[in-house]
Amino acid sequence: TIGPDAPAVERLDTAPATADCTVRGPAAAVFGAVWNRGPWLGGEHLQTSGDATLFALIGESVQIRWS
C-alpha cells in the first residue's frame, strides 16, 4: 500500500496471497526503473503481469533522494 506511513517489511511463514502486480526483468532493469533511471513501462527489458498501473503509480509517486 502506498500511503503516508513509513514502509514496513515483514517475513511471512506461509506463501503470500497473489500479488496485484508483478514485475520481471534483469535485476539492472528493475533496479534502474525503481531508482527512476529507466523506463517504467514499455521497456524491452521489463514485463509486468496483473495491474500494470500500480507499477506506473510508483514511478509517479516515489522519488528516491540522497539526503
Side-chain angles (χ1 to χ4, degrees):
T1 303
I2 298 173
D5 299 327
V9 177
E10 59 184 276
R11 186 172 295 216
L12 303 175
D13 292 331
T14 59
T18 304
D20 294 328
C21 176
T22 59
V23 179
R24 292 182 182 268
V30 175
F31 188 78
V34 171
W35 278 83
N36 302 320
R37 298 291 186 261
W40 283 92
L41 295 173
E44 61 185 64
H45 300 293
L46 296 178
Q47 299 85 41
T48 59
S49 61
D51 187 356
T53 61
L54 296 174
F55 189 53
L57 180 62
I58 293 172
E60 297 167 4
S61 305
V62 176
Q63 295 296 316
I64 298 175
R65 299 178 186 91
W66 294 99
S67 59

